[in-house]
Amino acid sequence: MATRAKPGTRSDYADFYPLQTRWIDNDTYGHVNNAVAYSLFDTAVNGWLLDRGLFNPRTSEEYGIVAETGCRYFAEMTFPDRITAGLRISHVGNSSVRYEVALFRNEDEAAACEGFFVHVYVRRKDHKPVSIASAHRAAFERLLVR
Amino acid sequence: MATRAKPGTRSDYADFYPLQTRWIDNDTYGHVNNAVAYSLFDTAVNGWLLDRGLFNPRTSEEYGIVAETGCRYFAEMTFPDRITAGLRISHVGNSSVRYEVALFRNEDEAAACEGFFVHVYVRRKDHKPVSIASAHRAAFERLLVR
Amino acid sequence: MATRAKPGTRSDYADFYPLQTRWIDNDTYGHVNNAVAYSLFDTAVNGWLLDRGLFNPRTSEEYGIVAETGCRYFAEMTFPDRITAGLRISHVGNSSVRYEVALFRNEDEAAACEGFFVHVYVRRKDHKPVSIASAHRAAFERLLVR
Amino acid sequence: MATRAKPGTRSDYADFYPLQTRWIDNDTYGHVNNAVAYSLFDTAVNGWLLDRGLFNPRTSEEYGIVAETGCRYFAEMTFPDRITAGLRISHVGNSSVRYEVALFRNEDEAAACEGFFVHVYVRRKDHKPVSIASAHRAAFERLLVR
């Protein structure tokens, strides 16, 4: 997350996931609270995985747990904005995958915020890291932006 | 909320509002936490008011604050279920309006939960109750189920 | 929850649990959102059970799931208020227990809100109702207010 | 947030703020969801400011809005853990202040997670950046760790 003057745009992202704001998201200043962005990030990432059959929270023997996240805020969002998450992947390691996620307000081309979200794949039974399975790796490659 | 064996169905409600579950909504048992239902209720009610031009959280000089709520839970919801809120109004008083709200999972006809939500209209400046304005009253009448 | 003019006071409750507000709890009007009360209710109830060794979310073979809740709001709470939950039990059935919970702001004697919270005990493996175990029943009796 | 093998400890932080977990914080895996860390960060930072008379969300003509946040997760937290936030400041600019925040579980010396939180001071009326006032600057200096 190098310092940079301008937010990314939709064309910087490889796939998209629709999200909805809630009344409770708005804080004292009438804007979506900063922590809510991260709830939208993990909804977009887990939703994207579920849609592709790569994740079932009840049955998957291996799944990603969150190792690191970050977000830069460029513009305020407010309920009832409709949000579109932009998704891309910047790195796939042996056990970890780094998603980059942007949130776009309504029809905006420029991101309201941009962040990242690192999943480390672990075994359900003891949360020890595992190598990312080939089906996941193939799917991640399609989001990879170099 | 009299005791009763069965949840209501979509045909018991007068209007509908689409809602989305989030990853964070799921609790330790893998189901949407009970308190989240109320966040969906106030999103549906405030969203319905906003869509009709009856509410602007920044500028409305009078708005509803929550006086009482309740909910009965019939079936578990889980992320990534899509939810449809059913809305109806059971009472409009001088200052207060009582919404009844159901949450329907995906294509289910029977409600996963059913509750109510009482707004009391107040002045922004001091939160003193006011009489419900005629434009609101007219809109509420169209949701009224006797 | 019959209609009544006045909130209960601390002396109406049998036990107490300390709670903390968060910045994110405050909504657009600068007050704790109505749904947050329910998050405080289930924290107080589950915390009270954990403190007495009556519940372990990972290992208990039987536990309570929420069947019905409700709340009446009398006064606004705001971050950084410290909250004290008042707890009592009004009914213990074969499978269900009905807690009544009040939230008191800071040093206030009168409740900011009062509600109820019904747990139905179920088996972990299939969420079928079970009879409440004797150790739980004995603990519940000590909170029972007739 | 350079890559590094080990979490910081309490002695790396200049001040502390007590926090409480909630039942709803636990996710499907029985651990506090990643986004909740950020709700604890802004509770600790805003609570610290409120305690020092440096912030009133209703009346302050200038206040901090969140420009960037990040967090690395080292160990899982779970309700009903008691959390202690460690606070320090790594940079004070003309308009911005960068807090570093760690969350410690119960009596742990090592952080469960460590992150940062950048506030940019703005005017309430239009959210334009302002220079940080001298009273704030003096208080920030006392948290500054070089």
Side-chain angles (χ1 to χ4, degrees), chain A residues 92-134:
Chain A
V92 187
N94 181 51
S95 296
S96 71
V97 50
R98 181 183 168 107
Y99 297 89
E100 295 180 340
V101 190
L103 301 180
F104 299 95
R105 287 183 69 170
N106 303 316
E107 305 306 321
D108 286 0
E109 275 301 310
C113 64
E114 281 186 295
F116 67 94
F117 182 92
V118 178
H119 254 165
V120 172
Y121 274 76
V122 299
R123 298 189 294 204
R124 179 183 293 268
K125 65 179 173 184
D126 58 9
H127 277 196
K128 296 281 187 197
V130 293
S131 295
I132 292 174
S134 57

mmCIF file of all heavy atoms in Angstrom, chain A residues 92-134:
data_model
loop_
_atom_site.group_PDB
_atom_site.id
_atom_site.type_symbol
_atom_site.label_atom_id
_atom_site.label_comp_id
_atom_site.label_asym_id
_atom_site.label_seq_id
_atom_site.Cartn_x
_atom_site.Cartn_y
_atom_site.Cartn_z
ATOM 1 N N VAL A 92 0.107 -15.445 -4.910
ATOM 2 C CA VAL A 92 -0.281 -16.761 -4.392
ATOM 3 C C VAL A 92 0.991 -17.461 -3.949
ATOM 4 O O VAL A 92 1.895 -17.698 -4.780
ATOM 5 C CB VAL A 92 -1.001 -17.624 -5.454
ATOM 6 C CG1 VAL A 92 -1.526 -18.903 -4.815
ATOM 7 C CG2 VAL A 92 -2.133 -16.858 -6.111
ATOM 8 N N GLY A 93 1.105 -17.744 -2.671
ATOM 9 C CA GLY A 93 2.265 -18.449 -2.147
ATOM 10 C C GLY A 93 1.950 -19.917 -1.935
ATOM 11 O O GLY A 93 0.978 -20.439 -2.501
ATOM 12 N N ASN A 94 2.745 -20.594 -1.121
ATOM 13 C CA ASN A 94 2.493 -22.010 -0.871
ATOM 14 C C ASN A 94 1.198 -22.197 -0.079
ATOM 15 O O ASN A 94 0.348 -23.005 -0.441
ATOM 16 C CB ASN A 94 3.659 -22.628 -0.108
ATOM 17 C CG ASN A 94 3.425 -24.107 0.148
ATOM 18 O OD1 ASN A 94 3.116 -24.857 -0.772
ATOM 19 N ND2 ASN A 94 3.527 -24.513 1.408
ATOM 20 N N SER A 95 1.038 -21.413 0.983
ATOM 21 C CA SER A 95 -0.148 -21.523 1.852
ATOM 22 C C SER A 95 -1.030 -20.294 1.808
ATOM 23 O O SER A 95 -2.146 -20.329 2.310
ATOM 24 C CB SER A 95 0.301 -21.701 3.317
ATOM 25 O OG SER A 95 0.998 -22.896 3.494
ATOM 26 N N SER A 96 -0.519 -19.203 1.263
ATOM 27 C CA SER A 96 -1.241 -17.939 1.413
ATOM 28 C C SER A 96 -1.620 -17.341 0.069
ATOM 29 O O SER A 96 -0.975 -17.582 -0.947
ATOM 30 C CB SER A 96 -0.398 -16.944 2.200
ATOM 31 O OG SER A 96 0.690 -16.501 1.418
ATOM 32 N N VAL A 97 -2.686 -16.556 0.116
ATOM 33 C CA VAL A 97 -3.149 -15.838 -1.062
ATOM 34 C C VAL A 97 -3.486 -14.416 -0.623
ATOM 35 O O VAL A 97 -4.108 -14.209 0.418
ATOM 36 C CB VAL A 97 -4.354 -16.546 -1.727
ATOM 37 C CG1 VAL A 97 -5.447 -16.867 -0.720
ATOM 38 C CG2 VAL A 97 -4.931 -15.729 -2.870
ATOM 39 N N ARG A 98 -3.033 -13.456 -1.426
ATOM 40 C CA ARG A 98 -3.274 -12.055 -1.108
ATOM 41 C C ARG A 98 -4.262 -11.470 -2.112
ATOM 42 O O ARG A 98 -3.948 -11.302 -3.292
ATOM 43 C CB ARG A 98 -1.961 -11.272 -1.162
ATOM 44 C CG ARG A 98 -2.144 -9.792 -0.823
ATOM 45 C CD ARG A 98 -0.805 -9.064 -0.977
ATOM 46 N NE ARG A 98 -0.957 -7.639 -0.948
ATOM 47 C CZ ARG A 98 -0.602 -6.845 0.079
ATOM 48 N NH1 ARG A 98 -0.053 -7.377 1.142
ATOM 49 N NH2 ARG A 98 -0.793 -5.549 0.026
ATOM 50 N N TYR A 99 -5.453 -11.199 -1.618
ATOM 51 C CA TYR A 99 -6.477 -10.527 -2.405
ATOM 52 C C TYR A 99 -6.294 -9.013 -2.271
ATOM 53 O O TYR A 99 -5.953 -8.525 -1.186
ATOM 54 C CB TYR A 99 -7.877 -10.843 -1.879
ATOM 55 C CG TYR A 99 -8.290 -12.282 -1.956
ATOM 56 C CD1 TYR A 99 -8.013 -13.165 -0.917
ATOM 57 C CD2 TYR A 99 -8.973 -12.764 -3.064
ATOM 58 C CE1 TYR A 99 -8.395 -14.498 -0.978
ATOM 59 C CE2 TYR A 99 -9.367 -14.103 -3.131
ATOM 60 C CZ TYR A 99 -9.077 -14.960 -2.083
ATOM 61 O OH TYR A 99 -9.464 -16.272 -2.155
ATOM 62 N N GLU A 100 -6.609 -8.308 -3.320
ATOM 63 C CA GLU A 100 -6.765 -6.861 -3.223
ATOM 64 C C GLU A 100 -8.226 -6.563 -3.534
ATOM 65 O O GLU A 100 -8.808 -7.127 -4.471
ATOM 66 C CB GLU A 100 -5.782 -6.143 -4.140
ATOM 67 C CG GLU A 100 -4.346 -6.415 -3.640
ATOM 68 C CD GLU A 100 -3.246 -5.765 -4.441
ATOM 69 O OE1 GLU A 100 -3.492 -5.402 -5.614
ATOM 70 O OE2 GLU A 100 -2.134 -5.637 -3.897
ATOM 71 N N VAL A 101 -8.817 -5.747 -2.711
ATOM 72 C CA VAL A 101 -10.259 -5.526 -2.776
ATOM 73 C C VAL A 101 -10.530 -4.025 -2.775
ATOM 74 O O VAL A 101 -9.949 -3.289 -1.974
ATOM 75 C CB VAL A 101 -10.984 -6.160 -1.566
ATOM 76 C CG1 VAL A 101 -12.490 -6.141 -1.786
ATOM 77 C CG2 VAL A 101 -10.500 -7.574 -1.290
ATOM 78 N N ALA A 102 -11.379 -3.588 -3.665
ATOM 79 C CA ALA A 102 -11.822 -2.190 -3.670
ATOM 80 C C ALA A 102 -13.329 -2.163 -3.474
ATOM 81 O O ALA A 102 -14.031 -3.102 -3.858
ATOM 82 C CB ALA A 102 -11.471 -1.525 -4.994
ATOM 83 N N LEU A 103 -13.824 -1.090 -2.881
ATOM 84 C CA LEU A 103 -15.276 -0.899 -2.758
ATOM 85 C C LEU A 103 -15.671 0.327 -3.571
ATOM 86 O O LEU A 103 -15.136 1.420 -3.373
ATOM 87 C CB LEU A 103 -15.677 -0.738 -1.290
ATOM 88 C CG LEU A 103 -15.315 -1.912 -0.369
ATOM 89 C CD1 LEU A 103 -15.767 -1.613 1.065
ATOM 90 C CD2 LEU A 103 -15.899 -3.234 -0.851
ATOM 91 N N PHE A 104 -16.601 0.102 -4.499
ATOM 92 C CA PHE A 104 -17.102 1.174 -5.361
ATOM 93 C C PHE A 104 -18.536 1.513 -4.966
ATOM 94 O O PHE A 104 -19.381 0.625 -4.843
ATOM 95 C CB PHE A 104 -17.080 0.730 -6.830
ATOM 96 C CG PHE A 104 -15.703 0.386 -7.332
ATOM 97 C CD1 PHE A 104 -15.253 -0.934 -7.332
ATOM 98 C CD2 PHE A 104 -14.848 1.385 -7.772
ATOM 99 C CE1 PHE A 104 -13.974 -1.252 -7.783
ATOM 100 C CE2 PHE A 104 -13.568 1.073 -8.231
ATOM 101 C CZ PHE A 104 -13.122 -0.254 -8.226
ATOM 102 N N ARG A 105 -18.796 2.800 -4.805
ATOM 103 C CA ARG A 105 -20.157 3.284 -4.462
ATOM 104 C C ARG A 105 -21.015 3.384 -5.697
ATOM 105 O O ARG A 105 -20.607 4.048 -6.669
ATOM 106 C CB ARG A 105 -20.102 4.720 -3.947
ATOM 107 C CG ARG A 105 -19.550 4.906 -2.613
ATOM 108 C CD ARG A 105 -19.653 6.375 -2.232
ATOM 109 N NE ARG A 105 -21.051 6.779 -2.021
ATOM 110 C CZ ARG A 105 -21.416 7.944 -1.494
ATOM 111 N NH1 ARG A 105 -20.498 8.834 -1.150
ATOM 112 N NH2 ARG A 105 -22.681 8.225 -1.318
ATOM 113 N N ASN A 106 -22.196 2.831 -5.632
ATOM 114 C CA ASN A 106 -23.190 3.024 -6.690
ATOM 115 C C ASN A 106 -22.537 2.897 -8.067
ATOM 116 O O ASN A 106 -21.982 1.849 -8.373
ATOM 117 C CB ASN A 106 -23.919 4.354 -6.474
ATOM 118 C CG ASN A 106 -24.576 4.394 -5.095
ATOM 119 O OD1 ASN A 106 -25.192 3.412 -4.686
ATOM 120 N ND2 ASN A 106 -24.427 5.467 -4.355
ATOM 121 N N GLU A 107 -22.582 3.968 -8.884
ATOM 122 C CA GLU A 107 -22.011 3.870 -10.234
ATOM 123 C C GLU A 107 -20.600 4.445 -10.329
ATOM 124 O O GLU A 107 -20.057 4.573 -11.439
ATOM 125 C CB GLU A 107 -22.936 4.582 -11.241
ATOM 126 C CG GLU A 107 -24.369 4.091 -11.240
ATOM 127 C CD GLU A 107 -24.480 2.574 -11.434
ATOM 128 O OE1 GLU A 107 -23.702 2.017 -12.236
ATOM 129 O OE2 GLU A 107 -25.335 1.950 -10.766
ATOM 130 N N ASP A 108 -20.001 4.794 -9.204
ATOM 131 C CA ASP A 108 -18.667 5.416 -9.233
ATOM 132 C C ASP A 108 -17.636 4.547 -9.939
ATOM 133 O O ASP A 108 -17.590 3.329 -9.737
ATOM 134 C CB ASP A 108 -18.152 5.677 -7.808
ATOM 135 C CG ASP A 108 -18.855 6.840 -7.127
ATOM 136 O OD1 ASP A 108 -19.735 7.461 -7.743
ATOM 137 O OD2 ASP A 108 -18.514 7.111 -5.957
ATOM 138 N N GLU A 109 -16.782 5.188 -10.705
ATOM 139 C CA GLU A 109 -15.652 4.494 -11.337
ATOM 140 C C GLU A 109 -14.450 4.409 -10.389
ATOM 141 O O GLU A 109 -13.669 3.467 -10.457
ATOM 142 C CB GLU A 109 -15.225 5.225 -12.625
ATOM 143 C CG GLU A 109 -16.019 4.819 -13.850
ATOM 144 C CD GLU A 109 -15.917 3.328 -14.138
ATOM 145 O OE1 GLU A 109 -14.792 2.786 -14.168
ATOM 146 O OE2 GLU A 109 -16.979 2.696 -14.319
ATOM 147 N N ALA A 110 -14.286 5.426 -9.546
ATOM 148 C CA ALA A 110 -13.151 5.456 -8.610
ATOM 149 C C ALA A 110 -13.550 4.784 -7.298
ATOM 150 O O ALA A 110 -14.683 4.900 -6.836
ATOM 151 C CB ALA A 110 -12.725 6.895 -8.342
ATOM 152 N N ALA A 111 -12.606 4.070 -6.693
ATOM 153 C CA ALA A 111 -12.875 3.332 -5.457
ATOM 154 C C ALA A 111 -13.087 4.275 -4.275
ATOM 155 O O ALA A 111 -12.369 5.268 -4.123
ATOM 156 C CB ALA A 111 -11.718 2.385 -5.156
ATOM 157 N N ALA A 112 -14.060 3.954 -3.431
ATOM 158 C CA ALA A 112 -14.234 4.665 -2.164
ATOM 159 C C ALA A 112 -13.159 4.236 -1.174
ATOM 160 O O ALA A 112 -12.702 5.023 -0.342
ATOM 161 C CB ALA A 112 -15.620 4.398 -1.588
ATOM 162 N N CYS A 113 -12.747 2.980 -1.266
ATOM 163 C CA CYS A 113 -11.611 2.511 -0.464
ATOM 164 C C CYS A 113 -10.987 1.320 -1.169
ATOM 165 O O CYS A 113 -11.630 0.651 -1.985
ATOM 166 C CB CYS A 113 -12.009 2.165 0.973
ATOM 167 S SG CYS A 113 -13.160 0.799 1.139
ATOM 168 N N GLU A 114 -9.706 1.118 -0.877
ATOM 169 C CA GLU A 114 -8.970 -0.008 -1.458
ATOM 170 C C GLU A 114 -8.151 -0.665 -0.372
ATOM 171 O O GLU A 114 -7.458 0.020 0.398
ATOM 172 C CB GLU A 114 -8.001 0.473 -2.542
ATOM 173 C CG GLU A 114 -8.660 0.757 -3.861
ATOM 174 C CD GLU A 114 -7.627 1.089 -4.931
ATOM 175 O OE1 GLU A 114 -6.954 2.135 -4.795
ATOM 176 O OE2 GLU A 114 -7.501 0.308 -5.892
ATOM 177 N N GLY A 115 -8.178 -1.992 -0.354
ATOM 178 C CA GLY A 115 -7.447 -2.685 0.683
ATOM 179 C C GLY A 115 -6.922 -4.017 0.221
ATOM 180 O O GLY A 115 -6.953 -4.340 -0.969
ATOM 181 N N PHE A 116 -6.428 -4.782 1.176
ATOM 182 C CA PHE A 116 -5.949 -6.124 0.862
ATOM 183 C C PHE A 116 -6.349 -7.056 1.993
ATOM 184 O O PHE A 116 -6.723 -6.604 3.096
ATOM 185 C CB PHE A 116 -4.435 -6.136 0.627
ATOM 186 C CG PHE A 116 -3.642 -5.828 1.857
ATOM 187 C CD1 PHE A 116 -3.151 -6.852 2.665
ATOM 188 C CD2 PHE A 116 -3.386 -4.520 2.228
ATOM 189 C CE1 PHE A 116 -2.417 -6.569 3.818
ATOM 190 C CE2 PHE A 116 -2.657 -4.229 3.371
ATOM 191 C CZ PHE A 116 -2.176 -5.258 4.168
ATOM 192 N N PHE A 117 -6.247 -8.325 1.718
ATOM 193 C CA PHE A 117 -6.822 -9.347 2.596
ATOM 194 C C PHE A 117 -6.023 -10.628 2.334
ATOM 195 O O PHE A 117 -6.096 -11.174 1.227
ATOM 196 C CB PHE A 117 -8.295 -9.497 2.169
ATOM 197 C CG PHE A 117 -9.121 -10.466 2.945
ATOM 198 C CD1 PHE A 117 -9.855 -10.051 4.053
ATOM 199 C CD2 PHE A 117 -9.191 -11.808 2.574
ATOM 200 C CE1 PHE A 117 -10.643 -10.946 4.758
ATOM 201 C CE2 PHE A 117 -9.974 -12.702 3.280
ATOM 202 C CZ PHE A 117 -10.711 -12.268 4.372
ATOM 203 N N VAL A 118 -5.237 -11.055 3.301
ATOM 204 C CA VAL A 118 -4.390 -12.245 3.137
ATOM 205 C C VAL A 118 -5.004 -13.436 3.864
ATOM 206 O O VAL A 118 -5.208 -13.386 5.084
ATOM 207 C CB VAL A 118 -2.964 -11.991 3.672
ATOM 208 C CG1 VAL A 118 -2.103 -13.261 3.538
ATOM 209 C CG2 VAL A 118 -2.315 -10.819 2.952
ATOM 210 N N HIS A 119 -5.297 -14.475 3.098
ATOM 211 C CA HIS A 119 -5.762 -15.737 3.668
ATOM 212 C C HIS A 119 -4.593 -16.711 3.734
ATOM 213 O O HIS A 119 -3.846 -16.843 2.761
ATOM 214 C CB HIS A 119 -6.825 -16.349 2.736
ATOM 215 C CG HIS A 119 -8.230 -16.248 3.224
ATOM 216 N ND1 HIS A 119 -9.310 -16.467 2.410
ATOM 217 C CD2 HIS A 119 -8.747 -15.984 4.457
ATOM 218 C CE1 HIS A 119 -10.430 -16.320 3.106
ATOM 219 N NE2 HIS A 119 -10.122 -16.020 4.343
ATOM 220 N N VAL A 120 -4.448 -17.381 4.862
ATOM 221 C CA VAL A 120 -3.524 -18.514 4.961
ATOM 222 C C VAL A 120 -4.374 -19.769 5.072
ATOM 223 O O VAL A 120 -5.257 -19.840 5.945
ATOM 224 C CB VAL A 120 -2.599 -18.385 6.189
ATOM 225 C CG1 VAL A 120 -1.774 -19.659 6.392
ATOM 226 C CG2 VAL A 120 -1.688 -17.180 6.021
ATOM 227 N N TYR A 121 -4.123 -20.728 4.196
ATOM 228 C CA TYR A 121 -4.904 -21.969 4.239
ATOM 229 C C TYR A 121 -4.411 -22.864 5.361
ATOM 230 O O TYR A 121 -3.203 -23.040 5.542
ATOM 231 C CB TYR A 121 -4.881 -22.684 2.876
ATOM 232 C CG TYR A 121 -5.988 -22.108 2.030
ATOM 233 C CD1 TYR A 121 -5.852 -20.855 1.447
ATOM 234 C CD2 TYR A 121 -7.211 -22.766 1.922
ATOM 235 C CE1 TYR A 121 -6.904 -20.283 0.737
ATOM 236 C CE2 TYR A 121 -8.253 -22.202 1.202
ATOM 237 C CZ TYR A 121 -8.104 -20.965 0.628
ATOM 238 O OH TYR A 121 -9.152 -20.398 -0.045
ATOM 239 N N VAL A 122 -5.385 -23.374 6.136
ATOM 240 C CA VAL A 122 -5.079 -24.225 7.291
ATOM 241 C C VAL A 122 -6.008 -25.438 7.281
ATOM 242 O O VAL A 122 -7.044 -25.438 6.605
ATOM 243 C CB VAL A 122 -5.256 -23.460 8.627
ATOM 244 C CG1 VAL A 122 -4.321 -22.257 8.711
ATOM 245 C CG2 VAL A 122 -6.713 -23.037 8.840
ATOM 246 N N ARG A 123 -5.620 -26.451 8.067
ATOM 247 C CA ARG A 123 -6.496 -27.608 8.292
ATOM 248 C C ARG A 123 -7.520 -27.250 9.351
ATOM 249 O O ARG A 123 -7.174 -26.643 10.380
ATOM 250 C CB ARG A 123 -5.696 -28.784 8.843
ATOM 251 C CG ARG A 123 -4.625 -29.276 7.900
ATOM 252 C CD ARG A 123 -4.037 -30.564 8.409
ATOM 253 N NE ARG A 123 -3.318 -30.373 9.661
ATOM 254 C CZ ARG A 123 -2.349 -31.165 10.087
ATOM 255 N NH1 ARG A 123 -1.982 -32.228 9.379
ATOM 256 N NH2 ARG A 123 -1.747 -30.936 11.230
ATOM 257 N N ARG A 124 -8.756 -27.675 9.136
ATOM 258 C CA ARG A 124 -9.804 -27.408 10.110
ATOM 259 C C ARG A 124 -9.442 -27.940 11.496
ATOM 260 O O ARG A 124 -9.640 -27.273 12.513
ATOM 261 C CB ARG A 124 -11.124 -28.050 9.659
ATOM 262 C CG ARG A 124 -12.302 -27.848 10.622
ATOM 263 C CD ARG A 124 -13.563 -28.566 10.145
ATOM 264 N NE ARG A 124 -14.090 -27.973 8.930
ATOM 265 C CZ ARG A 124 -15.017 -27.001 8.895
ATOM 266 N NH1 ARG A 124 -15.538 -26.541 10.022
ATOM 267 N NH2 ARG A 124 -15.443 -26.524 7.749
ATOM 268 N N LYS A 125 -8.858 -29.145 11.535
ATOM 269 C CA LYS A 125 -8.725 -29.819 12.823
ATOM 270 C C LYS A 125 -7.754 -29.147 13.789
ATOM 271 O O LYS A 125 -7.941 -29.207 14.983
ATOM 272 C CB LYS A 125 -8.364 -31.298 12.640
ATOM 273 C CG LYS A 125 -7.020 -31.555 12.015
ATOM 274 C CD LYS A 125 -6.759 -33.075 11.896
ATOM 275 C CE LYS A 125 -5.478 -33.314 11.098
ATOM 276 N NZ LYS A 125 -5.218 -34.727 10.870
ATOM 277 N N ASP A 126 -6.702 -28.505 13.274
ATOM 278 C CA ASP A 126 -5.732 -27.893 14.197
ATOM 279 C C ASP A 126 -5.214 -26.533 13.722
ATOM 280 O O ASP A 126 -4.324 -25.965 14.342
ATOM 281 C CB ASP A 126 -4.559 -28.840 14.454
ATOM 282 C CG ASP A 126 -3.850 -29.224 13.163
ATOM 283 O OD1 ASP A 126 -4.149 -28.630 12.097
ATOM 284 O OD2 ASP A 126 -3.000 -30.131 13.209
ATOM 285 N N HIS A 127 -5.788 -26.028 12.621
ATOM 286 C CA HIS A 127 -5.377 -24.713 12.100
ATOM 287 C C HIS A 127 -3.883 -24.639 11.778
ATOM 288 O O HIS A 127 -3.286 -23.559 11.827
ATOM 289 C CB HIS A 127 -5.830 -23.587 13.031
ATOM 290 C CG HIS A 127 -7.278 -23.189 12.792
ATOM 291 N ND1 HIS A 127 -7.835 -22.022 13.242
ATOM 292 C CD2 HIS A 127 -8.274 -23.837 12.118
ATOM 293 C CE1 HIS A 127 -9.120 -21.970 12.865
ATOM 294 N NE2 HIS A 127 -9.402 -23.060 12.201
ATOM 295 N N LYS A 128 -3.274 -25.772 11.396
ATOM 296 C CA LYS A 128 -1.893 -25.763 10.886
ATOM 297 C C LYS A 128 -1.931 -25.419 9.394
ATOM 298 O O LYS A 128 -2.801 -25.920 8.660
ATOM 299 C CB LYS A 128 -1.249 -27.152 11.024
ATOM 300 C CG LYS A 128 -1.088 -27.634 12.451
ATOM 301 C CD LYS A 128 0.124 -27.002 13.121
ATOM 302 C CE LYS A 128 0.328 -27.648 14.493
ATOM 303 N NZ LYS A 128 1.203 -26.847 15.356
ATOM 304 N N PRO A 129 -0.967 -24.637 8.904
ATOM 305 C CA PRO A 129 -0.953 -24.278 7.483
ATOM 306 C C PRO A 129 -0.816 -25.495 6.572
ATOM 307 O O PRO A 129 -0.157 -26.478 6.928
ATOM 308 C CB PRO A 129 0.284 -23.378 7.353
ATOM 309 C CG PRO A 129 0.492 -22.828 8.714
ATOM 310 C CD PRO A 129 0.087 -23.925 9.665
ATOM 311 N N VAL A 130 -1.439 -25.402 5.417
ATOM 312 C CA VAL A 130 -1.341 -26.445 4.392
ATOM 313 C C VAL A 130 -1.025 -25.775 3.054
ATOM 314 O O VAL A 130 -1.225 -24.571 2.880
ATOM 315 C CB VAL A 130 -2.671 -27.231 4.240
ATOM 316 C CG1 VAL A 130 -2.958 -28.049 5.495
ATOM 317 C CG2 VAL A 130 -3.833 -26.297 3.913
ATOM 318 N N SER A 131 -0.548 -26.574 2.110
ATOM 319 C CA SER A 131 -0.355 -26.066 0.750
ATOM 320 C C SER A 131 -1.718 -25.841 0.109
ATOM 321 O O SER A 131 -2.645 -26.642 0.298
ATOM 322 C CB SER A 131 0.430 -27.075 -0.090
ATOM 323 O OG SER A 131 1.732 -27.206 0.443
ATOM 324 N N ILE A 132 -1.814 -24.778 -0.644
ATOM 325 C CA ILE A 132 -3.076 -24.481 -1.323
ATOM 326 C C ILE A 132 -3.347 -25.557 -2.372
ATOM 327 O O ILE A 132 -2.460 -25.900 -3.166
ATOM 328 C CB ILE A 132 -2.998 -23.082 -1.966
ATOM 329 C CG1 ILE A 132 -2.958 -22.014 -0.843
ATOM 330 C CG2 ILE A 132 -4.173 -22.847 -2.906
ATOM 331 C CD1 ILE A 132 -2.729 -20.606 -1.350
ATOM 332 N N ALA A 133 -4.553 -26.094 -2.373
ATOM 333 C CA ALA A 133 -4.933 -27.179 -3.287
ATOM 334 C C ALA A 133 -4.947 -26.680 -4.733
ATOM 335 O O ALA A 133 -5.133 -25.483 -4.998
ATOM 336 C CB ALA A 133 -6.309 -27.718 -2.895
ATOM 337 N N SER A 134 -4.803 -27.617 -5.646
ATOM 338 C CA SER A 134 -4.644 -27.229 -7.055
ATOM 339 C C SER A 134 -5.900 -26.570 -7.630
ATOM 340 O O SER A 134 -5.799 -25.657 -8.453
ATOM 341 C CB SER A 134 -4.235 -28.440 -7.902
ATOM 342 O OG SER A 134 -5.208 -29.449 -7.755
#
